Amino acid sequence: MLLSVAIALSVIVLCYALLRKEPEPLLGIYSQPGKWFYLKKALFFIFLSLRKYRMNRMKNRGESAEIKDAGYGMKSRMKVEDMDCVQTLVDDPMAIDCMYFNGLNANGDYFLLRIARRQNREAEIWLYINVKDIGFFQSPVHPDTTLYNANPDSFDAGGLRFECVEPMRKWKVTFNGMLRKGLSETWPQETHEMTHVKFSFMWNAFTDPFDFDTDIYPGCLASAIAREKWSKEYFERIKKSHQTHYEQWGELLGTIQVDGHKDTELRLRGYRDHSYGVRDWYTFHRYAINFVYLEDGTAFHVDSISLPGILSLLQCGYLSKPNGILHPVSSTDMDMIALGEDQNPPTEYEFNFTADGKSYHVILKARAVIRFYLHDDWRSMIFEHVSDYEVNGVKGYGIFEFLYRNPSRSPLHPEKTLALLKEPDITASSSSAIWLPFAATECGSSRLVGGKGCQLALLSQLKSAKFSVPSGFCLTIAAFHLQLASNPSQQMAIDYVVKVSCAKNANPEVVKAACEAVANAFLNAPICPEVTNAVNEALCSVFGSNHAVRQFAVRSSAAGEDGVEMSAAGQMETVLGITGLEKIYEAIKFCWASLYAYTAFAYRKQNCQQLKSSAGVVIQEMVPAAAAGVLFTRHPVTGNPGEMVLNANYGLGESVVSGEADPDQVTISRDWTDAVSIKTKQIGSKKLQMKLTNSGVENIASKSSDTCCIGDDLILQLALVGIELEKRFGNPRDIEFAIDTENRIQLLQARPITVLEYESEWHLLHEFDTALANDKETLTTANIQEMMPSAVTPLTCSTFFYSIDRATQSLLVSCGVHPCVHYPQKAVYVCCNQGFINLNYSLGLYEGTSIMGQKRMGELSLLGEVVGKPPLAEHVSYNGRYTLLRRIRNGIQQFLAMYNSSAWVKRFGEKMKSYTLMEPHLNSPHKLYHAISKDLPLFDKMWSEHVVCSSSSAVYSNVIMAIVSEGADVWRTEHYSDLAMLLSKCDDVYSADVPSLLLKLVEKIRTKEERDKMINSSPEEVLDWLNSDSSGEIGREFASFMSRHGHRCIREAEFREKSWHMEPTKVIKVLQSMAQSSLTNPAGRNAVDTSQPSISRIKSRTTLFSRLVLRLIWPKARRGVGSRETSKSVAVQLIDVFKQAYWKLAEMMVEENRLPDQDLLFFLTHREIGILLETRSPRLIARAQKRRQVHSKQSLLRFQRITTGHPALIDTLSDSKIRSFSSMVKASGLPVSLGVTMGTARVVRSLAEASSIQNGDILIVEYTDVGWSPYFPLISGLVTEIGGLVSHGAVVAREYGLPCVVNVANATQIFNSGEKLILDGNLGTIEKVKESDN
């Protein structure tokens, strides 16, 4: 009977569903649930689950291939390195790769920044910033957002740049350009003030990414899909319109500089997103999205999105807790129809949403509204509401963003993008060519013709009535190798100079002599017939039969020169005014020889480039120049794109670039529409000119001129040419030009400007700082700075601190408190390269999350005392409080982790006896680096097990304290005393026998002869004696000690600090001190307590039952202490293995000239070492050197032991403090390289006196030329009496990041060697100083 009724009801329901009409979309847009809604939702829910299951299987198998059917439960990339980077645009006109950052704070400061890469070098930019007490600024293009001629290979547009430092953890956000002051939302735009603005921020994550492909609440997505009419075409539309989108919350930390205002330091919290795939803004009907940060560290995204015909109503989002745990939003009542459907979004609003089973009530009010338009036709418009929020009583701030279709269209006409000039792909046949004309496509390859020839060839490809490039050709690098092959003595001389320069303690005089030998080998040997025939053929082909009467410039074109990171300006030779075949041959040899001139060779050595280099040769017809010079398309000191700088003189430009003349300097204003005007002129004396005559090039002295050597019209024409070249090449340019006798522009070179980035000491001090989720997180230097006091090197920061953080997170995961190990650092906080423990996160195992946890016991184990910080209520808010059942489960998991850890450490300790990374087959830096990288997870695992062992010891201590205190709420002094007594003199405390073994070793010294040898000999001599048979029992004891403890040392987790095993003299010095002490104080040590720990010695009042329980627990607690120390010793053993490997890697890299010295390796992160091995990046070398310079200052900084929020610096030697020193004498000149330094004056009047230069000196000279280059790494600043923006000293100082002031009259007379000076490259001043009392 019941079955019949059920069947009948089912038939009725089915008939009703079949006969029921599908509801019409609301407003013709929003699809409504139909008759099959719940069935479709269930089917799609199953589909999502199966795809997630498939993805997890792929992840567990370690598959990393790109997934073609990404989305809807499947990630697009399995590796974060492949995901969090610039993406290749897909083959679709609406392809997009977009990165967005926002940041706000409670003071009213906010940043809204976005770059979207599009096809055909187009980009979309959002750039709005508001800084309290300074003003509101926006990109000049707004309310339009489309830019043209953007860099196609990076997030770089309109002066704004995003650069990945560590995937999913750290990005660098910078801007340098002109911004419009005040809000402009209409077109044509009102007149607004334009201001030069620079900012540099490091963005650090404090949450994991939320990937909308995989992490969205399944019910939300299934509901949205089930609303739509299903068909084959529908699912094809879904697939075609897919884009990957993920979001992450973090902090922006940095400074902003606005003209007319002091630098402002800002810390902003907000989120970033990354989207790639296909996005046509017209497919959106509208959306409304909240991005909100709350003061307690909670952050959330809640949205309603409408894409008609695809997902007409999708409501979803996520919530991030302060501890980093993410929860998808399961529902929201944000009603799209009632939420500004009329394109007037509300400025006040309330709504609710649910996440992790908890309801949130949101109240918001906009404090600023910004409107702008998307795509070149303005097909959509955005309203950004910068708003104040209140959620369940907690205040916050964020963005309420609305998008609508725009009923009107753009009043602007799309620009035409220019084809990007780039090097061609090389074929095997072209790589063997001996010469190539500028016009040949292959000549645009620096691999074939070197940097200078490549740039000239690319310029020659441009056909323009505005300028021309004098004709010429390049002898290729293949010609250079032909010459070497025909003259074995040249190759032998090159091999020898490389060998002596890479030797330990290389003698500069020997290297210089070897360089001269190489140069002589080139100059004295004839050019091989293949090359001479090729030169003759090229001259006839390019210039015709009358080439013999033409005048040529013969220029070196080295491989690697004139690149984006290194210019090598002035290092190679140029020969001008050459006529005749024989002189051309001699000039070619001269150019080849200059490749191994000492200055050029030392430059490559200092920049860690290939020492065995190659060069092409440019042979170009000379143009009689009425005037010539250099044009920078951006200001070479400030990097301001609104200013171009032109230096010029009468005659040839060599007088300008060599710094021998005082040229005219013209500053040209450039607005955002590329309109140019002359801003200032500084007329130089121009007393020296270089002229091209029939006999060659002559230096001609002339009277001082008070007129500019180039007319205004030509200056503006040059500026427009410079702008076009900047767009063509995709980056700012340093352009050499000549104005011929008919007033035509001739381009002679257009290299990248290599030194536009300037970072202050403040940025370097804070480069590796990490983020906090809120300002109430409690930090401590305790524990972590006991093992690693003071500042660590970047390598240690990127490995050891990272591993300790991962170890702590792994403990919380294994105990069930957290679902996963997070990408950002949560347990270990870093400020100025010093480590802090985040107590909010690290004490996540407490009474609210595990039955084995207790917050105050965690404080005791980490700090040695109970401090009550953070308060328990805040701790619960941060970490949550779990149900009793879950706390029991977590306690069991914690016990199992503790139980298994000791056995794992014991097994690994046995493995450590034979484990090494110094295997013979790891005989190259690449092999060794990859071996280290492969085994770094083992490093993380060992420290994870050590943290578990430490946790185990803490738990047993917790139990003992609970027993001796009888569960008291407040622990008294006697409780601490009893705990200390019970855990004293434990067995197997590995490190405790170090001092006793050393003392025992000293006590073996019985005779006066042995004592005298130990005390009076050098550490090296003592070491030799201890390693010899004559040392007898003492030597054997020393060997035993080193075998057991040789992996230890002071600051033993610092990879830069060599262990006793690696540097035994550290131990010898200790032994010598102890031997001396035993001689002067033979009575030895003071009396010590010899009594043994015992339960009977407990002073606290305890019951008989408590003492019985204590007898069971006490032995386990004592073993836990030994286990903790053993695990630490094994972990330090592993550190020593990696330490030896890194030092060996540094040695190998120095031998291959990939590093200037071994110590510099430790000022690179592990990831950067890999990049350097692949690229030989001079930029990385320069950054590492700057880091090393500030490291000593970081080490002097001191912080409070316990702080709430970001720790404030107690002491720092900033630029402003240096300037606060009292001054005695002051001189001023032209600042050409920024920065402030304090050092000792070194006045040198000739290169012969340069040997007196000491490390860190401020060098004061009349002028510099390329002969001074080898001394630049020694100095901290430069002052010259003569010079300009493009003089050698200025150019090289900027590349090295040295503060530099030129044109300081009588500087070598005013200052004396040995005086203390402050050199301010920002203000152009030099001061004699004495340090004030404060």
Side-chain angles (χ1 to χ4, degrees):
M1 179 67 183
L2 290 175
L3 179 61
S4 300
V5 172
I7 292 173
L9 288 173
S10 298
V11 170
I12 292 171
V13 170
L14 180 61
C15 291
Y16 172 78
L18 291 172
L19 295 173
R20 179 189 170 195
K21 290 184 178 180
E22 292 286 352
E24 293 296 320
L26 288 178
L27 304 180
I29 299 293
Y30 305 103
S31 298
Q32 299 301 297
K35 54 190 175 183
W36 304 113
F37 174 77
Y38 293 104
L39 177 60
K40 290 160 70 176
K41 181 176 178 179
L43 289 173
F44 200 81
F45 191 94
I46 294 170
F47 171 75
L48 283 175
S49 300
L50 290 174
R51 283 175 65 84
K52 278 194 172 185
Y53 174 74
R54 176 188 161 201
M55 185 200 70
N56 290 330
R57 285 192 62 188
M58 292 173 65
K59 186 176 180 179
N60 293 334
R61 289 197 299 262
E63 297 181 19
S64 59
E66 181 177 343
I67 299 170
K68 294 183 179 179
D69 59 340
Y72 309 101
M74 293 289 289
K75 282 186 173 295
S76 62
R77 311 281 189 274
M78 296 302 289
K79 287 185 176 181
V80 295
E81 295 86 351
D82 299 331
M83 193 173 192
D84 208 25
C85 61
V86 175
Q87 299 290 320
T88 302
L89 295 175
V90 299
D91 186 16
D92 188 285
M94 291 294 135
I96 194 170
D97 181 20
C98 164
M99 187 73 71
Y100 170 92
F101 290 85
N102 74 29
L104 305 91
N105 63 24
N107 296 328
D109 305 311
Y110 57 84
F111 279 50
L112 309 175
L113 312 170
R114 176 180 180 268
I115 297 173
R117 300 170 52 248
R118 292 286 195 176
Q119 301 281 21
N120 301 318
R121 299 186 65 194
E122 292 186 14
E124 294 169 4
I125 184 173
W126 304 359
L127 204 172
Y128 294 95
I129 62 176
N130 188 71
V131 183
K132 185 180 179 182
D133 299 328
I134 296 180
F136 178 91
F137 302 89
Q138 67 178 37
S139 169
V141 305
H142 292 333
D144 188 27
T145 55
T146 302
L147 292 177
Y148 302 88
N149 299 301
N151 191 322
D153 301 318
S154 62
F155 290 114
D156 186 352
L160 183 64
R161 182 176 177 84
F162 306 147
E163 183 180 2
C164 182
V165 180
E166 294 180 69
M168 299 300 181
R169 297 179 66 197
K170 188 185 290 283
W171 280 73
K172 188 174 183 181
V173 177
T174 58
F175 174 78
N176 188 348
M178 304 300 292
L179 293 183
R180 185 185 302 275
K181 189 169 185 178
L183 179 63
S184 175
E185 296 182 332
T186 60
W187 200 277
Q189 297 174 321
E190 319 93 79
T191 301
H192 282 271
E193 178 186 347
M194 301 294 290
T195 305
H196 181 214
V197 178
K198 292 170 68 173
F199 59 74
S200 178
F201 285 84
M202 200 66 82
W203 183 90
N204 290 286
F206 59 71
T207 73
D208 282 338
F210 186 91
D211 189 344
F212 282 78
D213 278 347
T214 57
D215 302 334
I216 191 171
Y217 188 73
C220 291
L221 185 56
S223 293
I225 295 286
R227 285 171 172 266
E228 307 300 327
K229 292 182 180 180
W230 286 7
S231 65
K232 181 180 179 181
E233 292 77 15
Y234 170 71
F235 286 106
E236 287 177 352
R237 286 200 304 273
I238 283 183
K239 186 175 181 180
K240 183 179 179 181
S241 63
H242 169 260
Q243 59 173 321
T244 290
H245 178 87
Y246 57 90
E247 299 179 359
Q248 215 177 356
W249 289 80
E251 274 188 337
L252 282 166
L253 174 64
T255 62
I256 181 169
Q257 178 183 340
V258 179
D259 271 1
H261 298 270
K262 293 181 179 179
D263 288 10
T264 302
E265 298 172 10
L266 291 175
R267 189 184 298 274
L268 309 167
R269 290 191 176 97
Y271 98 109
R272 76 171 180 110
D273 69 43
H274 186 194
S275 306
Y276 53 87
V278 177
R279 182 186 294 173
D280 181 354
W281 288 114
Y282 201 72
T283 61
F284 288 85
H285 167 60
R286 58 177 298 219
Y287 67 58
I289 308 176
N290 291 272
F291 310 106
V292 185
Y293 171 82
L294 302 180
E295 290 177 350
D296 66 354
T298 301
F300 64 85
H301 163 135
V302 179
D303 68 44
S304 289
I305 300 173
S306 175
L307 294 92
I310 302 173
L311 295 169
S312 62
L313 184 59
L314 171 64
Q315 295 181 311
C316 61
Y318 62 89
L319 179 137
S320 169
K321 299 297 289 181
N323 60 4
I325 297 177
L326 293 168
H327 302 286
V329 168
S330 54
S331 66
T332 180
D333 62 1
M334 233 169 43
D335 185 357
M336 282 286 275
I337 296 177
L339 189 59
E341 182 68 28
D342 59 354
Q343 297 197 352
N344 289 303
T347 56
E348 296 184 28
Y349 189 66
E350 296 185 29
F351 68 95
N352 300 282
F353 71 92
T354 304
D356 192 33
K358 183 178 178 179
S359 296
Y360 296 85
H361 180 64
V362 182
I363 305 172
L364 67 95
K365 183 176 182 179
R367 52 176 139 120
V369 178
I370 303 168
R371 182 180 63 184
F372 49 91
Y373 302 91
L374 301 176
H375 213 269
D376 55 13
D377 57 4
W378 291 19
R379 62 184 58 182
S380 298
M381 58 182 172
I382 292 278
F383 291 85
E384 293 277 88
H385 288 201
V386 182
S387 305
D388 294 312
Y389 284 78
E390 185 176 313
V391 181
N392 292 359
V394 181
K395 294 186 180 301
Y397 39 81
I399 305 294
F400 199 3
E401 182 175 293
F402 296 85
L403 176 138
Y404 296 95
R405 286 181 181 171
N406 183 21
S408 57
R409 282 295 181 260
S410 170
L412 306 176
H413 298 289
E415 289 184 29
K416 182 179 180 182
T417 55
L418 302 176
L420 184 71
L421 286 176
K422 56 183 181 180
E423 296 189 28
D425 296 329
I426 303 304
T427 62
S429 58
S430 60
S431 62
S432 60
I434 300 177
W435 74 276
L436 291 167
F438 289 170
T441 302
E442 298 89 339
C443 197
S445 168
S446 59
R447 290 170 54 193
L448 294 185
V449 300
K452 190 178 275 86
C454 160
Q455 301 292 336
L456 280 167
L458 292 174
L459 282 176
S460 297
Q461 293 177 16
L462 300 176
K463 306 302 180 185
S464 173
K466 302 174 186 176
F467 62 84
S468 58
V469 179
S471 300
F473 65 92
C474 292
L475 274 184
T476 65
I477 289 172
F480 178 83
H481 289 295
L482 276 175
Q483 177 69 8
L484 285 183
S486 66
N487 292 276
S489 61
Q490 293 173 348
Q491 186 63 63
M492 291 173 61
I494 291 172
D495 292 341
Y496 177 72
V497 72
V498 170
K499 178 181 177 182
V500 298
S501 68
C502 291
K504 290 184 179 179
N505 303 315
N507 186 333
E509 295 303 320
V510 173
V511 176
K512 188 178 294 186
C515 285
E516 290 177 1
V518 176
N520 289 331
F522 276 103
L523 293 173
N524 296 331
I527 298 180
C528 65
E530 296 93 333
V531 175
T532 56
N533 292 337
V535 171
N536 195 23
E537 176 189 346
L539 288 168
C540 293
S541 175
V542 176
F543 301 108
S545 57
N546 67 340
H547 64 77
V549 297
R550 296 181 186 238
Q551 291 179 300
F552 296 97
V554 182
R555 305 175 185 270
S556 305
S557 179
E561 114 180 287
D562 290 345
V564 174
E565 292 195 18
M566 188 181 76
S567 71
Q571 302 301 318
M572 305 287 290
E573 289 295 341
T574 292
V575 186
L576 302 177
I578 298 298
T579 302
L581 201 56
E582 292 303 320
K583 288 186 178 180
I584 290 175
Y585 293 156
E586 291 300 314
I588 290 170
K589 292 195 293 182
F590 196 61
C591 289
W592 283 341
S594 72
L595 184 64
Y596 286 90
Y598 181 64
T599 52
F601 188 81
Y603 183 86
R604 293 200 299 278
K605 177 77 173 169
Q606 291 159 11
N607 286 279
C608 299
Q609 301 304 294
Q610 285 278 6
L611 293 179
K612 287 186 179 181
S613 188
S614 306
V617 178
V618 172
I619 300 173
Q620 185 177 27
E621 184 176 13
M622 290 197 70
V623 176
V630 176
L631 172 68
F632 293 97
T633 62
R634 292 192 183 183
H635 198 291
V637 177
T638 67
N640 184 357
E643 291 184 346
M644 308 170 75
V645 178
L646 180 146
N647 281 203
N649 190 14
Y650 292 114
L652 302 178
E654 189 68 18
S655 65
V656 178
V657 298
S658 67
E660 296 181 37
D662 179 19
D664 295 330
Q665 179 168 307
V666 182
T667 302
I668 303 156
S669 292
R670 169 186 177 184
D671 73 9
W672 67 279
T673 64
D674 291 334
V676 294
S677 61
I678 295 174
K679 182 177 182 180
T680 62
K681 284 184 184 180
Q682 183 179 331
I683 305 301
S685 63
K686 304 184 287 295
K687 291 182 179 180
L688 178 68
Q689 302 172 20
M690 289 186 177
K691 293 288 188 179
L692 182 64
T693 67
N694 292 334
S695 58
V697 174
E698 295 182 8
N699 290 336
I700 300 173
S702 60
K703 293 182 180 180
S704 179
S705 173
D706 57 1
T707 59
C708 188
C709 61
I710 302 179
D712 290 358
D713 290 344
L714 268 175
I715 290 172
L716 297 179
Q717 287 181 42
L718 277 164
L720 294 174
V721 168
I723 291 171
E724 180 180 350
L725 294 184
E726 185 175 279
K727 292 178 179 180
R728 290 284 192 180
F729 283 101
N731 50 40
R733 291 277 133 173
D734 166 1
I735 302 166
E736 294 182 20
F737 67 88
I739 306 298
D740 65 21
T741 54
E742 297 180 8
N743 268 1
R744 294 177 304 191
I745 298 172
Q746 304 286 338
L747 298 184
L748 308 177
Q749 185 56 276
R751 64 175 66 88
I753 303 177
T754 57
V755 284
L756 289 178
E757 289 188 14
Y758 168 72
E759 289 184 312
S760 69
E761 184 177 275
W762 187 91
H763 287 96
L764 293 168
L765 285 169
H766 294 277
E767 182 181 5
F768 293 98
D769 286 11
T770 52
L772 293 178
N774 65 47
D775 293 325
K776 296 182 180 180
E777 292 184 81
T778 302
L779 309 173
T780 181
T781 60
N783 192 283
I784 193 167
Q785 290 210 12
E786 293 167 14
M787 183 178 185
M788 186 53 61
S790 189
V792 302
T793 59
L795 178 58
T796 303
C797 191
S798 69
T799 49
F800 174 69
F801 279 171
Y802 181 83
S803 290
I804 293 297
D805 179 81
R806 288 295 176 270
T808 307
Q809 290 200 44
S810 295
L811 173 64
L812 296 176
V813 172
S814 64
C815 297
V817 176
H818 280 258
C820 63
V821 174
H822 305 294
Y823 288 110
Q825 287 187 196
K826 301 291 290 183
V828 175
Y829 174 82
V830 178
C831 179
C832 296
N833 286 37
Q834 298 198 28
F836 300 76
I837 292 176
N838 185 328
L839 293 177
N840 292 68
Y841 190 91
S842 298
L843 299 181
L845 275 171
Y846 78 112
E847 46 266 63
T849 57
S850 171
I851 58 170
M852 293 181 66
Q854 192 173 12
K855 178 178 175 290
R856 60 177 177 169
M857 201 62 227
E859 292 176 15
L860 181 64
S861 64
L862 285 176
L863 291 89
E865 61 176 327
V866 176
V867 296
K869 292 183 179 180
L872 185 60
E874 288 184 13
H875 206 64
V876 172
S877 174
Y878 188 93
N879 290 287
R881 184 183 291 277
Y882 298 159
T883 63
L884 176 61
L885 187 62
R886 185 170 176 183
R887 294 202 304 271
I888 292 172
R889 187 193 71 182
N890 291 351
I892 293 172
Q893 290 182 227
Q894 184 178 358
F895 175 80
L896 293 173
M898 290 160 41
Y899 179 81
N900 295 323
S901 181
S902 294
W904 188 93
V905 170
K906 187 175 181 180
R907 292 194 303 271
F908 190 74
E910 290 298 316
K911 178 180 178 180
M912 281 302 304
K913 293 178 181 179
S914 59
Y915 176 69
T916 181
L917 285 168
M918 308 293 281
E919 299 286 354
H921 68 278
L922 302 176
N923 55 6
S924 74
H926 288 83
K927 290 179 181 178
L928 183 53
Y929 174 78
H930 289 302
I932 294 172
S933 301
K934 179 175 174 290
D935 281 8
L936 272 178
L938 188 65
F939 191 80
D940 296 343
K941 173 65 175 173
M942 181 62 242
W943 282 104
S944 295
E945 296 301 331
H946 169 63
V947 168
V948 173
C949 287
S950 297
S951 171
S952 173
S953 178
V955 168
Y956 285 121
S957 299
N958 190 357
V959 175
I960 290 178
M961 186 61 109
I963 293 171
V964 298
S965 67
E966 291 290 343
D969 292 332
V970 179
W971 292 336
R972 299 189 300 274
T973 303
E974 60 264 29
H975 299 150
Y976 290 106
S977 178
D978 288 339
L979 179 63
M981 180 273 296
L982 290 171
L983 298 183
S984 65
K985 300 180 182 179
C986 297
D987 297 329
D988 300 323
V989 180
Y990 201 80
S991 58
D993 61 351
V994 170
S996 60
L997 286 177
L998 288 174
L999 185 61
K1000 180 181 177 182
L1001 201 155
V1002 171
E1003 289 172 348
K1004 294 288 184 181
I1005 304 173
R1006 295 188 176 91
T1007 67
K1008 183 178 183 303
E1009 179 184 359
E1010 290 173 338
R1011 185 175 287 107
D1012 289 344
K1013 185 183 291 290
M1014 176 66 73
I1015 295 172
N1016 298 324
S1017 301
S1018 68
E1020 292 75 18
E1021 291 171 335
V1022 174
L1023 180 61
D1024 291 340
W1025 171 61
L1026 288 173
N1027 287 333
S1028 68
D1029 293 338
S1030 62
S1031 61
E1033 187 178 359
I1034 300 173
R1036 290 191 292 273
E1037 288 286 345
F1038 178 75
S1040 174
F1041 173 84
M1042 294 298 289
S1043 175
R1044 182 172 172 80
H1045 295 293
H1047 58 284
R1048 309 305 288 262
C1049 65
I1050 297 173
R1051 290 170 51 83
E1052 55 198 359
E1054 171 55 69
F1055 287 113
R1056 189 189 189 196
E1057 192 75 41
K1058 292 184 177 180
S1059 65
W1060 295 335
H1061 171 79
M1062 299 171 68
E1063 202 169 282
T1065 53
K1066 291 181 178 180
V1067 183
I1068 301 299
K1069 291 174 183 177
V1070 176
L1071 288 172
Q1072 288 178 308
S1073 178
M1074 293 176 72
Q1076 181 68 42
S1077 177
S1078 67
L1079 182 62
T1080 58
N1081 182 23
R1085 295 166 291 171
N1086 296 323
V1088 295
D1089 180 12
T1090 58
S1091 58
Q1092 296 299 312
S1094 168
I1095 293 177
S1096 62
R1097 294 177 59 197
I1098 293 176
K1099 297 178 182 179
S1100 304
R1101 293 184 179 181
T1102 55
T1103 64
L1104 177 61
F1105 177 76
S1106 295
R1107 295 196 174 220
L1108 289 174
V1109 174
L1110 189 58
R1111 289 188 183 278
L1112 296 174
I1113 298 296
W1114 182 39
K1116 292 181 173 60
R1118 291 174 64 81
R1119 285 196 294 272
V1121 173
S1123 176
R1124 179 189 64 200
E1125 289 301 308
T1126 298
S1127 68
K1128 181 177 179 180
S1129 180
V1130 175
V1132 175
Q1133 274 185 277
L1134 187 60
I1135 282 180
D1136 192 41
V1137 171
F1138 279 87
K1139 193 177 290 187
Q1140 293 178 54
Y1142 277 122
W1143 275 102
K1144 182 63 177 178
L1145 178 61
E1147 180 184 342
M1148 289 178 171
M1149 291 178 71
V1150 170
E1151 288 175 353
E1152 293 190 3
N1153 198 47
R1154 297 178 184 273
L1155 281 174
D1157 61 83
Q1158 294 183 29
D1159 182 64
L1160 198 65
L1161 178 92
F1162 302 94
F1163 294 90
L1164 297 164
T1165 66
H1166 179 79
R1167 183 169 182 259
E1168 287 172 341
I1169 294 171
I1171 294 171
L1172 186 63
L1173 283 170
E1174 296 301 319
T1175 64
R1176 289 184 177 266
S1177 168
R1179 181 184 177 194
L1180 271 180
I1181 294 294
R1183 177 171 288 275
Q1185 289 170 332
K1186 291 177 183 177
R1187 290 170 180 167
R1188 183 161 59 182
Q1189 289 174 359
V1190 303
H1191 183 68
S1192 59
K1193 294 182 181 180
Q1194 290 175 322
S1195 299
L1196 294 174
L1197 300 175
R1198 294 295 177 264
F1199 300 90
Q1200 292 182 355
R1201 188 164 175 265
I1202 300 173
T1203 59
T1204 299
H1206 293 282
L1209 293 175
I1210 294 174
D1211 185 24
T1212 181
L1213 193 62
S1214 64
D1215 289 1
S1216 59
K1217 185 164 184 176
I1218 290 176
R1219 287 197 290 266
S1220 73
F1221 291 146
S1222 57
S1223 303
M1224 295 176 62
V1225 176
K1226 183 175 182 180
S1228 61
L1230 174 68
V1232 294
S1233 186
L1234 303 181
V1236 180
T1237 187
M1238 183 171 66
T1240 303
R1242 187 64 54 192
V1243 180
V1244 179
R1245 292 179 173 84
S1246 70
L1247 194 59
E1249 300 174 11
S1251 59
S1252 64
I1253 298 172
Q1254 302 296 311
N1255 192 32
D1257 281 349
I1258 295 176
L1259 180 61
I1260 303 174
V1261 293
E1262 184 181 357
Y1263 70 97
T1264 62
D1265 60 19
V1266 294
W1268 293 88
S1269 297
Y1271 300 99
F1272 273 76
L1274 290 174
I1275 63 176
S1276 61
L1278 176 66
V1279 179
T1280 70
E1281 293 183 344
I1282 300 173
L1285 278 172
V1286 293
S1287 62
H1288 175 265
V1291 172
V1292 178
R1294 289 195 291 267
E1295 288 207 18
Y1296 277 90
L1298 297 172
C1300 180
V1301 180
V1302 301
N1303 286 343
V1304 183
N1306 304 312
T1308 56
Q1309 265 61 73
I1310 294 173
F1311 302 105
N1312 299 300
S1313 292
E1315 292 177 334
K1316 202 74 169 178
L1317 300 182
I1318 295 173
L1319 169 60
D1320 191 326
N1322 303 323
L1323 300 179
T1325 60
I1326 310 97
E1327 299 175 351
K1328 288 183 185 179
V1329 298
K1330 64 178 182 179
E1331 190 171 347
S1332 58
D1333 293 338
N1334 61 345

